[in-house]
Amino acid sequence: MKKIIFLLFTICTFYNSQAQEVKTLTYFQNDTLKLDLDLYLPKKKSTEKIPLILFAFGGGFSGGERTSEKEFGKFMAQNGYAVASISYSLYMKGKDFGCKGTLTEKIKAIQIGVSDMWQATAFLIENADKYNLDTSKIFISGISAGAEIGFHASFWDYKLMNLYKSNLPENFKYKGFIGGSGAIQDINLITKEKAIPMLLAHGSNDDTVPYNAGSHRSCPTNASGWLILFGSYAVYNHMQDLHKDIELITFCGGGHEFSGYLFHEGQQYVLDFVNDVLKGKKFESHLIVPSKKGKGSGGYLFCE
């Protein structure tokens, strides 16, 4: 029996090691900065171009690592997708990203992170043939601060907000967005013309990144770091009004601890989402999940 278990373990280990490969690439470099990404690719070569998911980790623009969600990269690669997990500038390292911080510094941190993401996107488009990537099927994703990067990279004005070399193709548009506990500064940036399919997950009682419209880090209005953000539920309602494809997973009573759900326990939701988008399916759904760690309904009737 032990021999059989060992044999099965060996086979599974061999399969997992063969199902994907990882390449570490430098996507941006100047005199003071060098940024890398880890590109997870299916091991099995395909005659068809591979869809790509760009990923940005969380950490309040002051910490975190691109290797933190490597299991997500492996999972998607084993299912035929490429994943690029990027490093980006941690502008707020050693600074206050909370209520005692400075509003302009908060916005600058997001703008730098978004500009880094745009550079990573352009680098992979430029090298698409080398890695067999389908540049018409590029998704963007992230956790917390990384999801804020994803939101703003998708909807900010590229020519106005990009800090570096402008090298994205004219009228480039991501194929879809996957966000864990993220938010956007101005919900009106999401227009009928710019809207892309979204899969979002968020705790209804998140006091770090607002679930609905609210203050970042729950700061009072007189705080120097006061910043209004529109979170996943606000975006969900807005996308409904626009009649655009949106899926939201709400953890009733949950906080910011659910920011990584889609990239850990919820990986199958991501796989189903990108499959549905690429098949051209239309969808709108709101999955409500009672949280064992919940702190009440948060005033939402669907959580009671």
Side-chain angles (χ1 to χ4, degrees), residues 138-293:
I138 300 179
F139 293 79
I140 189 169
S141 66
I143 293 174
S144 190
E148 290 166 13
I149 287 175
F151 263 126
H152 293 90
S154 298
F155 301 110
W156 259 350
D157 185 320
Y158 174 68
K159 292 180 180 179
L160 178 66
M161 300 302 291
N162 181 36
L163 295 172
Y164 308 128
K165 181 181 177 183
S166 295
N167 51 2
L168 274 179
E170 190 73 22
N171 300 319
F172 172 79
K173 193 174 184 179
Y174 292 103
K175 192 69 176 178
F177 171 56
I178 303 127
S181 302
I184 190 168
Q185 290 180 47
D186 183 359
I187 201 166
N188 292 314
L189 292 172
I190 307 173
T191 63
K192 188 176 285 287
E193 293 73 29
K194 288 187 174 182
I196 56 177
M198 296 187 207
L199 170 62
L200 310 176
H202 214 132
S204 67
N205 284 19
D206 192 336
D207 56 10
T208 301
V209 178
Y211 168 69
N212 201 350
S215 172
H216 177 244
R217 299 283 179 95
S218 302
C219 298
T221 55
N222 63 348
S224 59
W226 185 70
L227 171 65
I228 285 293
L229 291 172
F230 295 85
S232 301
Y233 186 58
V235 173
Y236 170 76
N237 288 323
H238 184 67
M239 289 284 283
Q240 277 192 309
D241 291 342
L242 296 176
H243 304 289
K244 294 296 183 178
D245 299 331
I246 177 76
E247 294 183 29
L248 171 63
I249 302 173
T250 293
F251 294 93
C252 283
H256 203 61
E257 68 273 10
F258 290 101
S259 60
Y261 173 81
L262 289 172
F263 307 93
H264 299 153
E265 304 94 331
Q267 293 174 358
Q268 188 63 45
Y269 283 111
V270 177
L271 180 60
D272 292 343
F273 168 76
V274 293
N275 284 338
D276 286 348
V277 171
L278 295 179
K279 290 175 183 176
K281 289 187 177 180
K282 298 296 181 183
F283 50 82
E284 182 276 308
S285 67
H286 186 189
L287 177 62
I288 299 164
V289 183
S291 171
K292 295 179 181 179
K293 299 179 182 179

Side-chain angles (χ1 to χ4, degrees), residues 5 17 58 63-65 78 92 104 146 150 171 285:
I5 292 173
S17 67
E65 297 179 353
Q78 288 164 10
M92 296 307 297
T104 54
N171 300 319
S285 67

Side-chain angles (χ1 to χ4, degrees), residues 3-16:
K3 288 183 179 179
I4 294 173
I5 292 173
F6 176 76
L7 179 61
L8 288 172
F9 173 79
T10 303
I11 291 171
C12 289
T13 302
F14 176 78
Y15 170 77
N16 287 334

Side-chain angles (χ1 to χ4, degrees), residues 39-69:
L39 181 62
Y40 297 80
L41 294 165
K43 192 75 173 179
K44 185 178 179 181
K45 301 305 178 184
S46 173
T47 55
E48 295 184 1
K49 298 287 187 179
I50 308 167
L52 170 67
I53 302 170
L54 284 151
F55 174 80
F57 57 83
F61 297 95
S62 62
E65 297 179 353
R66 70 176 186 273
T67 57
S68 59
E69 310 307 327

Side-chain angles (χ1 to χ4, degrees), residues 95-164:
K95 302 177 184 180
D96 192 334
F97 196 54
C99 301
K100 295 181 180 179
T102 305
L103 175 60
T104 54
E105 289 287 270
K106 283 186 171 185
I107 295 173
K108 187 175 181 179
I110 298 172
Q111 186 180 12
I112 292 172
V114 169
S115 296
D116 290 344
M117 175 61 82
W118 282 332
Q119 293 300 306
T121 305
F123 170 83
L124 289 165
I125 290 174
E126 290 166 4
N127 291 275
D129 289 341
K130 186 175 181 179
Y131 301 109
N132 198 34
L133 304 175
D134 190 335
T135 59
S136 69
K137 298 173 182 176
I138 300 179
F139 293 79
I140 189 169
S141 66
I143 293 174
S144 190
E148 290 166 13
I149 287 175
F151 263 126
H152 293 90
S154 298
F155 301 110
W156 259 350
D157 185 320
Y158 174 68
K159 292 180 180 179
L160 178 66
M161 300 302 291
N162 181 36
L163 295 172
Y164 308 128

